[in-house]
Amino acid sequence: KQWYQRRVRGLAKVLIEENGYSRKQGFVRYSDSHLKNIETTHLIQAEIKELLAERHQIVKREMAAHKSQLMRMKDTLVAYKSLTGEECRTVFSGGRLTRQPSEGLPSSD
């Protein structure tokens, strides 16, 4: 979990610092000299926190909206262990898989 959190924070930092994704400063790409300014550093950290909190809420809403599909996918993965992309689409759309859990993945021949 900690690795994931560091990775997500790192990606948000890249969005804001290197790609100019800043709501408060606009599309400004921060150079190393800008980052040495403590005020700018605090601004960036606050924007990272705000961005992650906002995205977290979006993910929670989406997961709640698709809870039954996610639970169906969980149950199917427990039974089958591994699915193809097409099988994932079938499960999410409410369909049934044609193979039995004991059969294993279809070959790609």
Side-chain angles (χ1 to χ4, degrees):
K1 183 177 177 177
Q2 290 177 354
W3 172 88
Y4 178 76
Q5 290 173 342
R6 283 193 307 271
R7 178 79 174 134
V8 169
R9 283 189 69 78
L11 290 172
K13 187 175 180 183
V14 167
L15 277 174
I16 292 168
E17 289 179 2
E18 297 178 20
N19 296 319
Y21 186 80
S22 171
R23 291 181 182 150
K24 294 176 183 162
Q25 295 292 321
F27 290 102
V28 175
R29 186 174 177 182
Y30 294 99
S31 66
D32 290 337
S33 62
H34 283 103
L35 295 176
K36 291 179 183 173
N37 178 333
I38 192 72
E39 186 177 319
T40 305
T41 301
H42 285 279
L43 176 70
I44 291 169
Q45 289 172 350
E47 285 200 78
I48 290 170
K49 185 177 179 178
E50 183 181 314
L51 176 66
L52 295 180
E54 176 186 301
R55 298 301 166 194
H56 179 74
Q57 291 304 314
I58 290 169
V59 169
K60 283 175 61 175
R61 270 195 312 272
E62 288 297 313
M63 289 181 72
H66 299 284
K67 185 176 181 177
S68 64
Q69 292 164 307
L70 292 170
M71 297 308 285
R72 189 169 45 248
M73 179 60 72
K74 175 197 64 96
D75 294 341
T76 305
L77 281 168
V78 166
Y80 285 78
K81 309 293 186 240
S82 187
L83 301 171
T84 66
E86 186 60 37
E87 288 173 330
C88 287
R89 287 184 284 281
T90 299
V91 171
F92 268 114
S93 66
R96 293 198 170 269
L97 300 183
T98 57
R99 70 178 171 98
Q100 296 299 312
S102 59
E103 291 179 22
L105 285 173
S107 67
S108 60
D109 296 337

